[in-house]
Amino acid sequence: MTSQTDTYATITLPARGDLLIGMGDFHGHYPALETLLGSLDTVYQIFENKQRLILKDNVTLVCTGDYIDRGESSLKVIDTFKKLARKNPGRVVTLTGNHELMALADLDCAREALKETASQDPNDYYTRYTAYGAGGSLHGYNGGIDFIKEFGSNPEEALRNYVKRMSKEGDVGRWMRKLKPCALMDFEGTK
């Protein structure tokens, strides 16, 4: 059983035979997530219905963050964890990682990069995002450009859509702001 507080998630595993599976650092590599879930199902039979992403009642998944950056499918990784959490209430815990924190912290850098374009080079949007602010955008330097590219077919469109969807009202930004920083584990019957 999992419960959420404003600051952390609490996970209680009451019975022998329950599985607590931790995973993280997918960094936009959806094929790795897909392979891992398939392997877990082969070895531990974690799914009641794999196609619908419905876990068996005795399975709890905890993702330790870093869903985004570096790979080409961050949005697909996020969508998969959103579906898992929605279809398995109380049995999927999504924690925040440093890459989600960097993306949220540097959102103003993305806004400023849209306001100022130094040249006609379309890639200048990415250059300005990475270089903006004191010391530059940590997110931009740590694979964030790969994440931003998923939001559109050209740099300006991608950055505009990124800013919109990462805002407090945007679907991705709202989801990231709800991620918990940590989880407290309680294994009943153990000392």
Side-chain angles (χ1 to χ4, degrees):
M1 177 64 75
T2 302
S3 63
Q4 305 281 332
T5 70
D6 287 341
T7 55
Y8 60 88
T10 302
I11 303 165
T12 302
L13 294 179
R16 286 184 173 253
D18 282 0
L19 291 174
L20 173 65
I21 301 169
M23 59 181 71
D25 293 273
F26 290 102
H27 289 290
H29 295 284
Y30 178 76
L33 172 59
E34 190 174 45
T35 299
L36 179 59
L37 291 175
S39 295
L40 288 168
D41 194 45
T42 299
V43 174
Y44 298 104
Q45 295 80 43
I46 64 168
F47 286 107
E48 189 70 40
N49 185 319
K50 186 177 175 185
Q51 289 72 32
R52 295 186 60 222
L53 297 177
I54 298 175
L55 297 167
K56 288 187 175 178
D57 289 338
N58 68 325
V59 176
T60 300
L61 296 180
V62 178
C63 187
T64 59
D66 288 351
Y67 310 89
I68 64 171
D69 301 339
R70 299 187 179 135
E72 298 176 355
S73 305
S74 296
L75 292 172
K76 198 167 183 179
V77 169
I78 289 170
D79 187 51
T80 300
F81 278 103
K82 286 167 73 173
K83 285 179 187 173
L84 278 163
R86 187 177 64 248
K87 293 182 178 195
N88 302 282
R91 291 184 289 119
V92 176
V93 177
T94 50
L95 304 176
T96 192
N98 64 312
H99 283 258
E100 289 77 37
L101 292 174
M102 285 187 289
L104 291 169
D106 287 350
L107 189 54
D108 283 341
C109 294
R111 288 185 179 108
E112 291 302 317
L114 282 170
K115 290 180 185 176
E116 304 171 21
T117 307
S119 72
Q120 295 299 324
D121 180 1
N123 288 314
D124 192 47
Y125 287 99
Y126 298 144
T127 303
R128 292 202 53 80
Y129 173 66
T130 302
Y132 194 82
S137 161
L138 284 176
H139 183 236
Y141 282 117
N142 284 284
I145 298 302
D146 293 320
F147 182 43
I148 292 171
K149 287 179 178 179
E150 292 185 49
F151 289 85
S153 59
N154 65 64
E156 181 181 8
E157 175 190 40
L159 202 55
R160 286 191 191 288
N161 289 336
Y162 174 78
V163 166
K164 182 178 179 182
R165 292 183 68 190
M166 285 293 292
S167 72
K168 288 180 183 177
E169 298 79 27
D171 62 320
V172 179
R174 247 189 349 264
W175 180 78
M176 281 190 190
R177 285 171 178 82
K178 290 180 183 176
L179 297 172
K180 300 296 179 191
C182 63
L184 175 65
M185 310 291 176
D186 180 16
F187 299 91
E188 289 186 357
T190 61
K191 295 185 185 229

